[in-house]
Amino acid sequence: MAQPVPVLLWAWGTLTALAGAAQGSFEVSVSPEAAMVEHGGSVWINCSTTCQVPGASGGLETSLIKTDRKNGSSWVAFRLVNIKEWASSPQCYFTCGGTIKLVTANISAYRAPERVVLEPLPEMELGQAYNVTCWVLNVAPVTHLTVTLRRGGETLHTETFQNHTGTGPDDITVITEITPQRSDHGQEITCHTALDLHGSHFKNSSSAVELKVYGEFPHAPCAIHTVPPCTRDTLHAP
Ligand SMILES: *[C@@H]1O[C@H](CO)[C@@H](O)[C@H](O)[C@H]1NC(C)=O
Ligand SMILES: *[C@@H]1O[C@H](CO)[C@@H](O)[C@H](O)[C@H]1NC(C)=O
Ligand SMILES: *[C@@H]1O[C@H](CO)[C@@H](O)[C@H](O)[C@H]1NC(C)=O
Ligand SMILES: *[C@@H]1O[C@H](CO)[C@@H](O)[C@H](O)[C@H]1NC(C)=O
Ligand SMILES: *[C@@H]1O[C@H](CO)[C@@H](O)[C@H](O)[C@H]1NC(C)=O
Ligand SMILES: *[C@@H]1O[C@H](CO)[C@@H](O)[C@H](O)[C@H]1NC(C)=O
């Protein structure tokens, strides 16, 4: 009664292996999994498989335009061109022993801002509050944008937009309040943008706006953030 056991085990093992092949004990992968492409640009997408069955066939399902194709025994790559969809998800597939497997890649298109502009500032009265406004026009994807307002080399304000909805280009307004001090007279305000795309940075900046500050300039240096602003009167008050 001992003999049939190994035979049964052998048969069971073989069936499991065959079932495994038929049910898809193979993998499909795509490279790159996520791509950032300049709006209107192109990218190669490579689909590959671990399938060992000869004649495994694969492809890429996408609404984007395919121009070139290269393939090896276990991979197939396509060049996608003129990418104008702001977000698209081509699907790689392979058929292996009658089973099909899919894997999705994400392609996002980006566009550097068309313009980065600072709103002109009036002549500023010492100690009064003013808004500095920067417009960033026609940029995508806003979720990867950082806008920084600077006074000289000093950062006044930094803003990011991780929660911005929509994948297409948008206009962004960034505002920060400043209360000019005497030492700000002649300083330059600039607005800087950075699109951070998987390690590549695309930077732009506005032209500079010079601060013109007027008011009673005291002889002695003022304490920073004095309210009301220190003037000759307050300094010489009895
Ligand atoms: C692709 O995009 C989808 C939906 O936004 C997301 O769930 C998925 O994690 C992304 N995949 C990769 C590899 O970035
Ligand atoms: C596609 O990927 C396979 C597997 O990683 C690799 O062997 C092949 O060289 C790649 N083809 C191209 C055109 O990059
Ligand atoms: C590339 O694909 C073609 C058509 O599917 C096939 O005949 C050819 O053998 C493939 N090339 C390689 C290197 O596997
Ligand atoms: C932004 O910077 C890129 C180069 O990084 C440049 O080609 C483009 O003209 C700049 N755009 C503006 C609005 O300055
Ligand atoms: C600056 O703008 C904010 C938001 O638009 C507004 O609430 C604030 O009153 C403005 N400050 C000044 C000094 O204009
Ligand atoms: C983005 O949304 C999350 C969840 O709603 C929130 O916790 C986070 O503070 C938001 N981030 C910004 C920069 O607004």
Side-chain angles (χ1 to χ4, degrees):
M1 291 301 286
Q3 274 305 89
V5 176
V7 174
L8 275 173
L9 278 177
W10 178 85
W12 181 79
T14 307
L15 284 170
T16 313
L18 288 172
Q23 283 164 15
S25 62
F26 68 103
E27 298 301 327
V28 175
S29 52
V30 60
S31 172
E33 287 184 326
M36 276 284 182
V37 180
E38 188 169 10
H39 187 246
S42 64
V43 66
W44 277 93
I45 298 289
N46 187 347
C47 307
S48 54
T49 183
T50 58
C51 177
Q52 298 300 317
V53 176
S57 65
L60 186 68
E61 193 63 44
T62 177
S63 52
L64 297 168
I65 306 158
K66 291 183 248 185
T67 52
D68 303 278
R69 174 197 165 105
K70 288 181 189 170
N71 67 298
S73 53
S74 63
W75 59 270
V76 55
F78 296 90
R79 191 162 103 103
L80 304 176
V81 300
N82 196 25
I83 296 170
K84 294 215 167 137
E85 288 179 38
W86 294 100
S88 51
S89 302
Q91 287 186 311
C92 274
Y93 62 85
F94 268 94
T95 312
C96 182
T99 305
I100 190 161
K101 271 199 175 173
L102 296 170
V103 56
T104 301
N106 290 338
I107 301 180
S108 305
Y110 69 85
R111 176 146 78 199
E114 193 179 305
R115 292 181 70 199
V116 182
V117 192
L118 273 175
E119 185 174 71
L121 287 166
E123 283 197 20
M124 299 170 138
E125 190 177 344
L126 198 62
Q128 291 290 310
Y130 294 87
N131 271 340
V132 176
T133 303
C134 178
W135 293 299
V136 182
L137 305 182
N138 211 358
V139 62
V142 173
T143 47
H144 290 61
L145 179 73
T146 304
V147 180
T148 306
L149 283 160
R150 289 194 201 139
R151 173 176 50 205
E154 175 201 356
T155 297
L156 292 172
H157 181 71
T158 297
E159 209 163 312
T160 53
F161 309 89
Q162 286 97 336
N163 292 349
H164 189 85
T165 51
T167 51
D170 216 336
D171 299 338
I172 293 296
T173 306
V174 172
I175 299 175
T176 193
E177 206 173 79
I178 61 166
T179 304
Q181 308 295 311
R182 182 189 179 179
S183 58
D184 288 334
H185 186 75
Q187 290 258 48
E188 288 189 330
I189 302 279
T190 47
C191 181
H192 302 259
T193 64
L195 263 182
D196 188 353
L197 310 170
H198 301 305
S200 308
H201 294 269
F202 296 88
K203 298 186 174 182
N204 286 92
S205 51
S206 68
S207 33
V209 168
E210 190 183 329
L211 292 178
K212 296 197 179 74
V213 183
Y214 70 92
E216 290 276 349
F217 289 168
H219 298 299
C222 275
I224 294 170
H225 304 312
T226 308
V227 178
C230 55
T231 63
R232 227 174 293 246
D233 288 340
T234 53
L235 277 179
H236 293 283

